[in-house]
Amino acid sequence: MELQYADDNALVALSEEDLQGILSAFAKAYKQLGLAINIKKTQILHQPPPNSSTSVLPPNISIDNIRLENVDYFPYLGSLLSSKAVIDDEIHHRLSCASGAFSRLRKRVFENRDLQAKTKILVYKAVVLPTLLYGSEAWTTYSRHLKALEAYHQRSLRKILRISWEDRRTNTSVLEEADIPTITATIAQNQLRWTGHVIRMPDSRLPKQVLYSQLVKGKRAPGGQKKRYKDNIKTNLKKCHIDLKAWEDMATDRATWRNLVREGAALYNDDLCHAAQDKRRLRKERATTKQVQPKPPTTTFPCPHCTRIIGSRIGLYAHLKTHKDQEGGQSYSTTSDRR
């Protein structure tokens, strides 16, 4: 299978032999047209099955007897593809790109006191957020990814609104002041809108075939399973209060689906904000109602001849010996008062 876009071409194969044959055919066709493949920019990305051993040798693919480089990840159309089929590297790449976009506009826009905060937020939504969430429609996110994105979102908004950590502001109040939703709700909205586009595609289109297809061979390993894109969509439908049984029929109407997704994402965002407020309130209540543990009773030994309090029995014996030496060897009896 080939995925061509402008002068970029991605070849996908199920085996090393198939990939070598496809690549050799492309190289031969390019030569006949007077074109050449840039070997330095051509790389091989091997994605082994999840349950395979780590000792699998990398594929040996060559063009004109020149072996191509094997890599763990490479960028394609702005996204970072990984050999482990995870988006950890992609999230780091998106954060780096968004930070660069924010830095380029920092002095001109975000730190410009002549501009209103609303204008700065509009620029942030038009430039930084699309850079941060580029390709999020196809992400399979875990909580660690959403936390990293939400942390960057909060840092950027606090810089724009000139909110310091000394102000003791909650994340919910920052979002309300900026009038902007959470990253989690925004990603859910993007993914559901893209899923609606896929549903409306003809059956011959590759994205729709991938969405509805299932593996013929292989089985999932026992224990905790890796999240699939379908699991992500199902979770987003539940969080956005969309009927799981009728969503495919509703997605066939573009206008209806867009309104439904927008309203559902707004409800999801409200639920996230209310959950954060409830969590903070419960934490405050536990802190205020926490009783101070009483200190354990201490054992003291008062001297029977003076007002001094001795902290140990051995110290009391030494103290009484001092009295005995001072008063000419007179003996004393000891008493202890345990408090």
Side-chain angles (χ1 to χ4, degrees):
M1 182 175 60
E2 56 175 320
L3 305 174
Q4 294 188 1
Y5 183 82
D7 59 342
D8 291 331
N9 190 7
L11 303 178
V12 183
L14 297 179
S15 65
E16 182 178 348
E17 293 77 12
D18 293 342
L19 182 59
Q20 181 64 67
I22 296 173
L23 192 59
S24 300
F26 267 93
K28 182 179 180 180
Y30 286 162
K31 283 185 178 180
Q32 294 177 354
L33 296 174
L35 303 176
I37 297 178
N38 191 334
I39 297 180
K40 293 183 179 180
K41 294 184 178 180
T42 305
Q43 298 172 330
I44 305 299
L45 179 70
H46 179 220
Q47 292 182 332
N51 300 327
S52 62
S53 61
T54 58
S55 60
V56 178
L57 295 177
N60 184 6
I61 307 297
S62 60
I63 298 179
D64 296 334
N65 296 326
I66 300 177
R67 182 174 180 177
L68 299 180
E69 179 186 7
N70 290 276
V71 295
D72 295 329
Y73 60 87
F74 65 83
Y76 180 70
L77 301 182
S79 297
L80 210 61
L81 304 181
S82 172
S83 60
K84 297 181 180 179
V86 293
I87 63 170
D88 293 327
D89 296 328
E90 170 68 4
I91 294 297
H92 294 311
H93 181 61
R94 289 291 102 212
L95 291 172
S96 177
C97 293
S99 299
F102 190 93
S103 299
R104 286 190 291 270
L105 297 173
R106 181 191 299 273
K107 294 183 179 180
R108 181 65 182 89
V109 178
F110 300 127
E111 293 182 356
N112 189 348
R113 303 205 175 197
D114 295 332
L115 297 178
Q116 295 182 354
K118 292 182 179 180
T119 305
K120 297 178 182 180
I121 293 297
L122 290 175
V123 175
Y124 174 76
K125 293 170 66 175
V127 178
V128 181
L129 272 187
T131 304
L132 179 66
L133 301 181
Y134 175 80
S136 62
E137 293 84 356
W139 288 352
T140 303
T141 55
Y142 287 83
S143 59
R144 64 179 184 274
H145 305 139
L146 297 176
K147 288 181 180 179
L149 295 171
E150 292 285 5
Y152 174 81
H153 189 45
Q154 283 291 327
R155 288 197 305 268
S156 301
L157 292 178
R158 289 170 185 267
K159 291 178 182 178
I160 294 173
L161 300 176
R162 304 182 65 84
I163 298 175
S164 173
W165 66 270
E166 297 176 347
D167 298 330
R168 309 289 292 179
R169 295 281 300 276
T170 62
N171 294 341
T172 305
S173 65
V174 174
L175 295 174
E176 290 177 355
E177 181 178 349
D179 191 19
I180 194 170
T182 60
I183 292 294
T184 304
T186 304
I187 291 178
Q189 182 178 359
N190 293 343
Q191 292 185 347
L192 291 180
R193 288 180 60 183
W194 167 246
T195 306
H197 288 307
V198 176
I199 294 297
R200 293 188 295 271
M201 290 180 181
D203 295 339
S204 59
R205 293 287 302 276
L206 182 61
K208 192 170 185 178
Q209 294 177 2
V210 173
L211 180 63
Y212 283 100
S213 62
Q214 294 182 356
L215 295 177
V216 178
K217 298 181 180 179
K219 60 181 180 179
R220 307 187 78 180
Q225 303 296 331
K226 291 185 177 181
K227 186 185 294 186
R228 300 168 299 180
Y229 184 74
K230 293 182 180 179
D231 301 330
N232 231 26
I233 296 300
K234 186 176 181 180
T235 301
N236 292 334
L237 290 171
K238 291 181 180 179
K239 298 295 184 179
C240 294
H241 306 278
I242 298 177
D243 189 4
L244 295 177
K245 297 181 179 179
W247 74 274
E248 292 178 286
D249 296 332
M250 292 184 290
T252 56
D253 187 354
R254 184 173 183 271
T256 302
W257 181 249
R258 285 177 66 90
N259 294 333
L260 185 63
V261 170
R262 183 173 60 251
E263 295 173 358
L267 293 175
Y268 186 21
N269 184 71
D270 293 340
D271 294 341
L272 290 174
C273 294
H274 292 159
Q277 292 174 354
D278 294 340
K279 184 178 180 180
R280 184 173 184 271
R281 177 178 53 81
L282 293 176
R283 186 172 65 250
K284 292 293 184 181
E285 291 178 357
R286 287 196 299 266
T288 55
T289 58
K290 185 179 180 180
Q291 298 181 355
V292 179
Q293 296 293 335
K295 294 183 179 180
T298 57
T299 303
T300 58
F301 301 90
C303 179
H305 305 287
C306 63
T307 59
R308 186 173 180 181
I309 303 299
I310 310 301
S312 64
R313 191 181 298 274
I314 297 177
L316 178 61
Y317 288 153
H319 181 69
L320 292 177
K321 184 178 180 181
T322 304
H323 279 291
K324 181 178 179 181
D325 294 339
Q326 291 177 353
E327 299 184 9
Q330 187 176 355
S331 62
Y332 301 99
S333 61
T334 62
T335 59
S336 64
D337 181 17
R338 296 180 178 270
R339 298 181 183 177

